[in-house]
Amino acid sequence: MDHPGPSHELTTHGVGPWPGEWPEGDHYDPELLRQGDTRNVIDRYRYWRMEAIVADLDEHRHPFHVAIENWQHDMNIGSIVRSANAFAADTVHIIGRRRWNKRGAMVTDRYQHVVHHDDVEAFVAWSREAGLPIIAVDNVPGSVLIETFALPRECVLLFGQEGPGLSQPAIDAADAVIEISQFGSTRSINASAAAAVAMHAWVLQHVRF
């Protein structure tokens, strides 16, 4: 999968009303053109309607999914959704509680597909039907180092909660369990940080720059 590489954004704080004659195209939002666009979007999508942004993203999302267990209303889920959007994950799957704290998502959940599964069993049934292997990420006995593991191009990266990590049913259902190498004194890294590392590992293996 080819990618043109990162681009440097011209603005980070938004833009004011469109200067001069308005551009043509159904993807533009008249209200944003009139009042300005201060959303957390890249310059390419300035002044675009939200639906148009989602449709454009759907044209080049990556074929990996992200799944998160949500038994204790984990505060990290929002940040994981934000990273999933940044790395163009296909879909984020919430397993367990339907409600999750969206603060860390910084509104990126509006542009990212997010679906819910009542429990691990329902999630596994979906992944099997979709033909996607489940790659669990947790530092448990028997885990393989992510740096030495060939991530499938089409897969689901499954993450547990901050603290307890993945549930045993989730680990048992996984096709592989991998962990991120650590070299300091802490037993684990933050769940949202681990998710970002794992997603970027997929990018390094499957995206050509």
Side-chain angles (χ1 to χ4, degrees), residues 33-59:
L33 290 170
R34 183 181 304 109
Q35 299 184 2
D37 188 355
T38 59
R39 300 172 300 174
N40 179 26
V41 297
I42 60 175
D43 289 339
R44 165 177 167 76
Y45 293 134
R46 290 295 181 195
Y47 302 107
W48 282 36
R49 294 182 296 105
M50 182 180 70
E51 296 80 6
I53 295 175
V54 173
D56 190 68
L57 288 172
D58 285 345
E59 295 295 321

Short mmCIF file of all heavy atoms in Angstrom, two decimals, residues 33-59:
data_model
loop_
_atom_site.label_atom_id
_atom_site.label_comp_id
_atom_site.label_asym_id
_atom_site.label_seq_id
_atom_site.Cartn_x
_atom_site.Cartn_y
_atom_site.Cartn_z
N LEU A 33 -17.86 27.83 5.46
CA LEU A 33 -17.31 28.82 4.54
C LEU A 33 -17.64 30.23 5.03
O LEU A 33 -16.83 31.16 4.90
CB LEU A 33 -17.86 28.61 3.14
CG LEU A 33 -17.40 27.35 2.39
CD1 LEU A 33 -18.23 27.16 1.13
CD2 LEU A 33 -15.92 27.45 2.04
N ARG A 34 -18.82 30.37 5.60
CA ARG A 34 -19.28 31.68 6.04
C ARG A 34 -18.64 32.10 7.37
O ARG A 34 -18.24 33.25 7.54
CB ARG A 34 -20.80 31.67 6.18
CG ARG A 34 -21.43 33.01 6.56
CD ARG A 34 -22.94 32.90 6.69
NE ARG A 34 -23.55 32.39 5.48
CZ ARG A 34 -24.09 31.17 5.36
NH1 ARG A 34 -24.09 30.33 6.39
NH2 ARG A 34 -24.62 30.78 4.22
N GLN A 35 -18.51 31.15 8.31
CA GLN A 35 -18.09 31.49 9.66
C GLN A 35 -16.66 31.08 10.00
O GLN A 35 -16.10 31.54 10.99
CB GLN A 35 -19.05 30.87 10.68
CG GLN A 35 -20.49 31.34 10.53
CD GLN A 35 -21.40 30.77 11.60
OE1 GLN A 35 -20.96 30.05 12.49
NE2 GLN A 35 -22.67 31.10 11.52
N GLY A 36 -16.06 30.22 9.19
CA GLY A 36 -14.72 29.74 9.50
C GLY A 36 -14.76 28.31 10.01
O GLY A 36 -15.83 27.78 10.36
N ASP A 37 -13.61 27.67 10.05
CA ASP A 37 -13.51 26.26 10.42
C ASP A 37 -12.41 26.07 11.46
O ASP A 37 -11.23 26.16 11.16
CB ASP A 37 -13.22 25.42 9.17
CG ASP A 37 -13.29 23.91 9.44
OD1 ASP A 37 -13.47 23.53 10.61
OD2 ASP A 37 -13.16 23.14 8.48
N THR A 38 -12.79 25.82 12.70
CA THR A 38 -11.82 25.64 13.79
C THR A 38 -11.78 24.19 14.27
O THR A 38 -11.28 23.91 15.35
CB THR A 38 -12.17 26.56 14.98
OG1 THR A 38 -13.50 26.24 15.45
CG2 THR A 38 -12.12 28.02 14.57
N ARG A 39 -12.29 23.27 13.46
CA ARG A 39 -12.31 21.87 13.86
C ARG A 39 -10.90 21.26 13.85
O ARG A 39 -9.98 21.78 13.20
CB ARG A 39 -13.22 21.06 12.92
CG ARG A 39 -14.67 21.51 12.90
CD ARG A 39 -15.43 20.78 11.80
NE ARG A 39 -14.85 21.05 10.49
CZ ARG A 39 -15.24 20.45 9.36
NH1 ARG A 39 -16.21 19.55 9.40
NH2 ARG A 39 -14.66 20.76 8.21
N ASN A 40 -10.78 20.14 14.54
CA ASN A 40 -9.50 19.41 14.59
C ASN A 40 -9.41 18.49 13.37
O ASN A 40 -9.51 17.28 13.47
CB ASN A 40 -9.41 18.59 15.88
CG ASN A 40 -8.13 17.79 15.98
OD1 ASN A 40 -7.11 18.15 15.38
ND2 ASN A 40 -8.17 16.68 16.73
N VAL A 41 -9.21 19.10 12.20
CA VAL A 41 -9.06 18.35 10.96
C VAL A 41 -7.84 18.86 10.20
O VAL A 41 -7.40 20.00 10.40
CB VAL A 41 -10.31 18.47 10.04
CG1 VAL A 41 -11.53 17.89 10.72
CG2 VAL A 41 -10.57 19.93 9.65
N ILE A 42 -7.29 18.01 9.33
CA ILE A 42 -6.15 18.41 8.53
C ILE A 42 -6.59 19.45 7.50
O ILE A 42 -7.77 19.58 7.20
CB ILE A 42 -5.49 17.20 7.84
CG1 ILE A 42 -6.48 16.49 6.90
CG2 ILE A 42 -4.93 16.23 8.87
CD1 ILE A 42 -5.86 15.35 6.11
N ASP A 43 -5.62 20.17 6.95
CA ASP A 43 -5.94 21.26 6.02
C ASP A 43 -6.75 20.78 4.82
O ASP A 43 -7.59 21.51 4.29
CB ASP A 43 -4.65 21.93 5.54
CG ASP A 43 -3.98 22.74 6.64
OD1 ASP A 43 -4.67 23.11 7.61
OD2 ASP A 43 -2.76 22.98 6.54
N ARG A 44 -6.49 19.55 4.38
CA ARG A 44 -7.22 19.02 3.22
C ARG A 44 -8.73 19.07 3.43
O ARG A 44 -9.49 19.26 2.48
CB ARG A 44 -6.76 17.59 2.97
CG ARG A 44 -7.66 16.78 2.04
CD ARG A 44 -7.10 15.38 1.78
NE ARG A 44 -8.06 14.51 1.16
CZ ARG A 44 -8.40 14.57 -0.13
NH1 ARG A 44 -7.85 15.46 -0.92
NH2 ARG A 44 -9.28 13.72 -0.64
N TYR A 45 -9.17 18.90 4.67
CA TYR A 45 -10.60 18.82 4.95
C TYR A 45 -11.19 20.12 5.49
O TYR A 45 -12.34 20.13 5.95
CB TYR A 45 -10.87 17.69 5.94
CG TYR A 45 -10.59 16.31 5.38
CD1 TYR A 45 -9.88 15.37 6.12
CD2 TYR A 45 -11.03 15.95 4.11
CE1 TYR A 45 -9.63 14.09 5.61
CE2 TYR A 45 -10.79 14.69 3.60
CZ TYR A 45 -10.08 13.77 4.35
OH TYR A 45 -9.84 12.51 3.83
N ARG A 46 -10.45 21.21 5.44
CA ARG A 46 -10.99 22.48 5.89
C ARG A 46 -12.23 22.85 5.06
O ARG A 46 -12.22 22.73 3.82
CB ARG A 46 -9.95 23.59 5.76
CG ARG A 46 -8.80 23.49 6.75
CD ARG A 46 -9.27 23.66 8.17
NE ARG A 46 -8.14 23.59 9.12
CZ ARG A 46 -8.29 23.43 10.43
NH1 ARG A 46 -9.50 23.31 10.94
NH2 ARG A 46 -7.24 23.38 11.21
N TYR A 47 -13.25 23.25 5.75
CA TYR A 47 -14.52 23.71 5.18
C TYR A 47 -15.37 22.57 4.62
O TYR A 47 -16.44 22.81 4.08
CB TYR A 47 -14.30 24.75 4.06
CG TYR A 47 -13.53 25.98 4.51
CD1 TYR A 47 -12.21 26.17 4.10
CD2 TYR A 47 -14.12 26.95 5.31
CE1 TYR A 47 -11.49 27.30 4.48
CE2 TYR A 47 -13.42 28.10 5.69
CZ TYR A 47 -12.11 28.25 5.28
OH TYR A 47 -11.40 29.38 5.66
N TRP A 48 -14.92 21.32 4.75
CA TRP A 48 -15.70 20.19 4.24
C TRP A 48 -16.84 19.83 5.21
O TRP A 48 -16.70 19.96 6.43
CB TRP A 48 -14.81 18.96 4.06
CG TRP A 48 -13.94 18.97 2.85
CD1 TRP A 48 -13.31 20.03 2.29
CD2 TRP A 48 -13.57 17.82 2.08
NE1 TRP A 48 -12.57 19.62 1.21
CE2 TRP A 48 -12.71 18.27 1.06
CE3 TRP A 48 -13.87 16.46 2.16
CZ2 TRP A 48 -12.15 17.40 0.11
CZ3 TRP A 48 -13.33 15.60 1.23
CH2 TRP A 48 -12.47 16.07 0.21
N ARG A 49 -17.93 19.33 4.67
CA ARG A 49 -18.98 18.75 5.50
C ARG A 49 -18.46 17.49 6.18
O ARG A 49 -17.64 16.77 5.62
CB ARG A 49 -20.21 18.39 4.66
CG ARG A 49 -20.93 19.58 4.05
CD ARG A 49 -22.16 19.12 3.27
NE ARG A 49 -21.82 18.28 2.13
CZ ARG A 49 -21.99 16.96 2.07
NH1 ARG A 49 -22.51 16.30 3.12
NH2 ARG A 49 -21.66 16.27 0.99
N MET A 50 -18.94 17.22 7.38
CA MET A 50 -18.50 16.04 8.12
C MET A 50 -18.77 14.77 7.32
O MET A 50 -17.92 13.87 7.23
CB MET A 50 -19.21 15.95 9.47
CG MET A 50 -18.78 14.77 10.31
SD MET A 50 -19.64 14.69 11.89
CE MET A 50 -21.29 14.25 11.34
N GLU A 51 -19.94 14.67 6.70
CA GLU A 51 -20.29 13.48 5.93
C GLU A 51 -19.34 13.29 4.75
O GLU A 51 -19.01 12.17 4.37
CB GLU A 51 -21.73 13.57 5.44
CG GLU A 51 -22.78 13.59 6.55
CD GLU A 51 -22.94 14.96 7.17
OE1 GLU A 51 -22.33 15.93 6.68
OE2 GLU A 51 -23.70 15.07 8.17
N ALA A 52 -18.91 14.40 4.15
CA ALA A 52 -17.99 14.33 3.02
C ALA A 52 -16.62 13.85 3.47
O ALA A 52 -15.94 13.11 2.75
CB ALA A 52 -17.89 15.69 2.34
N ILE A 53 -16.19 14.27 4.66
CA ILE A 53 -14.91 13.82 5.19
C ILE A 53 -14.94 12.32 5.44
O ILE A 53 -14.01 11.59 5.07
CB ILE A 53 -14.56 14.58 6.49
CG1 ILE A 53 -14.35 16.07 6.21
CG2 ILE A 53 -13.32 13.97 7.15
CD1 ILE A 53 -14.12 16.90 7.44
N VAL A 54 -16.01 11.83 6.07
CA VAL A 54 -16.14 10.40 6.34
C VAL A 54 -16.12 9.61 5.04
O VAL A 54 -15.45 8.58 4.93
CB VAL A 54 -17.43 10.11 7.13
CG1 VAL A 54 -17.64 8.60 7.28
CG2 VAL A 54 -17.36 10.76 8.51
N ALA A 55 -16.85 10.09 4.05
CA ALA A 55 -16.90 9.39 2.76
C ALA A 55 -15.53 9.34 2.11
O ALA A 55 -15.14 8.32 1.52
CB ALA A 55 -17.90 10.08 1.84
N ASP A 56 -14.77 10.43 2.21
CA ASP A 56 -13.43 10.45 1.62
C ASP A 56 -12.49 9.52 2.38
O ASP A 56 -11.70 8.79 1.78
CB ASP A 56 -12.89 11.87 1.62
CG ASP A 56 -11.61 12.00 0.81
OD1 ASP A 56 -11.68 11.85 -0.43
OD2 ASP A 56 -10.54 12.22 1.41
N LEU A 57 -12.58 9.52 3.71
CA LEU A 57 -11.76 8.61 4.51
C LEU A 57 -12.06 7.16 4.17
O LEU A 57 -11.16 6.32 4.16
CB LEU A 57 -12.00 8.86 6.01
CG LEU A 57 -11.43 10.14 6.59
CD1 LEU A 57 -11.92 10.34 8.03
CD2 LEU A 57 -9.90 10.12 6.57
N ASP A 58 -13.33 6.87 3.91
CA ASP A 58 -13.72 5.50 3.58
C ASP A 58 -13.04 4.99 2.31
O ASP A 58 -12.96 3.78 2.09
CB ASP A 58 -15.24 5.40 3.42
CG ASP A 58 -15.98 5.45 4.74
OD1 ASP A 58 -15.32 5.28 5.79
OD2 ASP A 58 -17.21 5.68 4.74
N GLU A 59 -12.57 5.90 1.48
CA GLU A 59 -11.90 5.51 0.25
C GLU A 59 -10.49 4.98 0.49
O GLU A 59 -9.94 4.28 -0.36
CB GLU A 59 -11.85 6.70 -0.72
CG GLU A 59 -13.20 7.18 -1.21
CD GLU A 59 -13.90 6.14 -2.07
OE1 GLU A 59 -13.19 5.46 -2.86
OE2 GLU A 59 -15.12 5.99 -1.94
#
